[in-house]
Amino acid sequence: QVQLVESGGGLVQAGGSLRLSCAASGRTFSTNAMGWFRQAPGKEREFVAAINRNGGRTYYADSVKGRFTISRDNAKNTVYLQMNSLKPEDTAVYYCAARPDMSSNYFRGYDYWGQGTQVIVSS
């Protein structure tokens, strides 16, 4: 069982930055692929970014490429999402997710989810 706790959300003006963190429990963190997803009001949850177990490969939604960076620190059991040049359309609840890194499809198939952290970008 993996427990995930997100933090770092908040209110920021357009053009600003936030860094989200996701702390994971358990001894399997370094073997898990990690992902960030988001869900805006009235919309379905969507993929944002993912990283493989050793941090050597990263994946991004087209809407955030060049603005967001996913990273991980396996010694701290933590994954991060650095969000720069934020736009009002980035407003959503952001969720951290984990799964064993056994598939090359990093866009889906996550088994464990955090409770989410709210990000609001004002115009």
Side-chain angles (χ1 to χ4, degrees), residues 27-90:
R27 296 177 292 176
T28 61
F29 182 79
S30 63
T31 64
N32 284 336
M34 301 297 297
W36 285 99
F37 291 75
R38 67 186 182 187
Q39 187 168 19
K43 295 187 176 181
E44 294 187 352
R45 186 170 60 193
E46 64 176 0
F47 170 81
V48 175
I51 189 166
N52 77 325
R53 60 185 177 180
N54 64 12
R57 293 194 299 272
T58 57
Y59 307 84
Y60 297 94
D62 288 342
S63 58
V64 306
K65 278 181 183 177
R67 300 188 299 121
F68 290 11
T69 302
I70 188 171
S71 62
R72 66 190 295 160
D73 185 338
N74 285 351
K76 295 183 178 180
N77 279 16
T78 302
V79 63
Y80 305 97
L81 186 68
Q82 178 67 43
M83 306 186 295
N84 298 330
S85 302
L86 282 160
K87 305 175 181 180
E89 51 263 44
D90 294 318

Side-chain angles (χ1 to χ4, degrees), residues 22 32 47 67 75 82 89 99 101 108 111 113:
C22 173
N32 284 336
F47 170 81
R67 300 188 299 121
Q82 178 67 43
E89 51 263 44
R99 65 163 175 78
D101 194 357
R108 58 178 58 89
D111 301 309
W113 296 84

Side-chain angles (χ1 to χ4, degrees), residues 98-115:
R99 65 163 175 78
D101 194 357
M102 299 174 64
S103 166
S104 60
N105 187 335
Y106 288 87
F107 301 95
R108 58 178 58 89
Y110 289 83
D111 301 309
Y112 305 102
W113 296 84
Q115 82 290 347

